[in-house]
Amino acid sequence: MARYVWNQTTWHIELNLSQVFLWRVPENFTLRTEDEPEDVEPVGKLSGHSRKVGHVLFNPSAENILASASGDYTIKLWDVESGASRLTLKHGDIVQSLSWNAAGSMIATTCRDKKLRMWDVRQERPAHEVQGHPGAKNSRVVWLGELDRVATTGFSKMSDRQLACWDVSAPREPIGGFQILDSISGVCMPFWDDGTKILYLAGKGDGMIRYYEYADDKFEYLSEYKSADPQRGIAFLPKRGVNMHENEIMRAFKTVNDSYIEPISFIVPRRAETFQGDVYPPAVGTKPAVSASEWLGGKTGLPPKINLESLYENGAVEEVAADYRPPQQQQAQPPPSTETSKPTPATAPEPSPPTARQPPSGGITDSKTSMSALASKFADSADNDDGDSASSFEEIPKPAERPTATTSSTSATPVNATAAARMEDKTSGPPITKPPTSSAQADVASPPPQQPSASSASAPTPAAESASRSGETKARSSSNASPAAGLAAHLADIKSLLEQQRVQMASQSDQIRALGREMEVLKGRVGDGAAAGGGGDGGEREREMSERIRQLELELEEARG
């Protein structure tokens, strides 16, 4: 037994002979029985090859159309229902692998003559024929689903394993050249997952399965599965059979030492307990697109797909359109984004954008903003430094919200006024009256250019224009001067606070020196009393002096601290 393939209802097995045997699997058939499984007899044979058959593969779109490759250098296409060979594709040497496109209209083949061919099947001639991998060992090919790309694996002249991607429309050479994998001698068997755009490479005779993500005509390496048990053959389960509740995206079955079959699951490590639509797009279902007679007559179509979310919820199978495309590809197209951005200026005359628009930044605006921020900073630092004053922090009324203005010239005024109010409450310096005056001047100077009459707007005169310009200049100069005047007043108040602290520190120093002198005098008296050797009254007095000295030392330490 060499090869086996499945279609929707029948299991076809090909023996090491020139015939293809057909089996139809009974309903509810299982091998998990206590008794010996019953034998299933073949329901038909396909005869026509003169040598051993090496490969068989069903058409993914047409019903009961089977391709078989033999050692007689031909590929025959069979109508399984009638058992007749309808088409023959002739090669110059033994066919090593074959793969259908998604629509079932073309076949890609690799051959022992090192050629890669793309066949227009119903024309029975190759549409393209190019040089493939240069090595003498076997090469494999797989069609990348609904894409116009094929992937091949083979060997270089130095027996290095290679991977290549080909453009079906112009396959003169591989896209980006041949990619070297390693130097292992086993043949790489490629398998494609059209849902996640991942290519799996299983080495024949080794225990590794590598997988690559296809993006921008490149295969990016993801990871690999390693096992000590080498695989001699491997097959992948259709996407509709994976366990979506465990985030399983693919499942492989490999033969180990010709004694048992081992399942291998590829799982996306996610903790989500809901359906993951990004890794489970609609997959090919169980219904063909066309019948065998329609396909032989020239009709082509993609098979209908099923919504995997319906299987996830254990509901009825829900079919979707055959030309379904993932939403990611539709959002990534650049033309729609540019087309949608063009109509936006046409609908721009709305009242909201002008109100949200900010005035242009310039040197004057930047200087006013920086001065206002600096003034606020100095006001806050003055609040923190005045910790020894009589008023507490809670007594200072904190403004609930600072008013904001539409222009930058008026936004600096509330900052200076608030800072001035804080400094007036906390210090005894002169009141700050310049910022309110400057803001009033700015308010008086700004309304004339903002409220023009209808007659002046319809017919402006040079005199009016010059007056408006002079008014704007005065408003800018006054608003520019107000932060500077406020800053000077804050600096004067800070200097007065520093002078008060200097005087207080000087008085504390004098107090420390007085305490030190008094303590020295008491120590001298205690020493004289001890030398005189007084009686009981003298001892009592000496103890009082010692306590007084101790108290003075404590006060001195506190004053120094």
Side-chain angles (χ1 to χ4, degrees), residues 9-30:
T9 58
T10 309
W11 183 26
H12 296 263
I13 298 182
E14 170 231 330
L15 301 178
N16 290 331
L17 301 172
S18 60
Q19 293 179 326
V20 178
F21 286 71
L22 308 175
W23 277 263
R24 186 178 297 275
V25 179
E27 294 183 3
N28 301 323
F29 178 80
T30 179

Side-chain angles (χ1 to χ4, degrees), residues 373-392:
L374 187 60
S376 177
K377 179 179 179 181
F378 276 111
D380 294 339
S381 62
D383 295 343
N384 296 332
D385 293 336
D386 197 12
D388 298 332
S389 61
S391 60
S392 63

Side-chain angles (χ1 to χ4, degrees), residues 38-57:
E38 59 177 307
D39 294 333
V40 180
E41 297 295 331
V43 297
K45 300 177 183 179
L46 303 178
S47 301
H49 288 291
S50 59
R51 290 193 179 182
K52 179 175 62 176
V53 178
H55 301 272
V56 286
L57 190 61

